[in-house]
Amino acid sequence: MKRNNLHFGKSKNRFYMTLLWITGGACVVTSILLGSFVYTNMSLNKYHVTINQLSSELDSIKSMTDEMVQQEKEYKNQLEELSQELAKYEPIVIPESMKSE
């Protein structure tokens, strides 16, 4: 006598098929959730790298801006010193008769 495991009776057959469908559905749902998690994680990693690059560029731009501000202060100080030095001397006025056309 040959026994077939799926044919013990209609109720047992229905029970095993239901378990099979539930297991298959759980596998499909797990695969979908895992795939979406991996995709989201990859996207977040990509954005994290981009944010790191942008923040490093922003830091370099800030340092360049600080250097430019420092240079501007130095130039203003030099201009003020030169203006004070020039203020010591009287301006030279050229008479109209000496101006050439």
Side-chain angles (χ1 to χ4, degrees):
M1 201 188 276
K2 194 174 188 183
R3 291 178 82 180
N4 191 349
N5 288 337
L6 292 178
H7 294 290
F8 288 125
K10 287 190 174 193
S11 63
K12 285 189 177 182
N13 190 15
R14 210 176 275 155
F15 175 73
Y16 289 126
M17 288 304 289
T18 304
L19 285 179
L20 183 66
W21 278 102
I22 290 172
T23 304
C27 289
V28 168
V29 169
T30 303
S31 298
I32 290 171
L33 290 175
L34 184 63
S36 64
F37 174 75
V38 168
Y39 175 77
T40 305
N41 196 18
M42 287 174 37
S43 297
L44 288 177
N45 284 338
K46 181 175 64 172
Y47 292 132
H48 184 68
V49 168
T50 303
I51 288 171
N52 285 341
Q53 288 174 348
L54 288 176
S55 66
S56 66
E57 289 179 15
L58 181 63
D59 290 340
S60 67
I61 289 173
K62 282 182 181 179
S63 66
M64 289 172 50
T65 304
D66 291 341
E67 290 175 6
M68 293 174 105
V69 167
Q70 186 64 27
Q71 283 181 351
E72 182 184 16
K73 288 179 183 177
E74 290 175 7
Y75 292 150
K76 283 184 179 180
N77 288 338
Q78 289 177 1
L79 178 63
E80 187 177 322
E81 290 173 3
L82 288 174
S83 296
Q84 289 175 357
E85 185 67 30
L86 286 175
K88 293 179 183 177
Y89 303 101
E90 292 182 21
I92 299 174
V93 178
I94 299 175
E96 290 292 326
S97 62
M98 295 182 76
K99 289 183 181 178
S100 63
E101 295 184 37

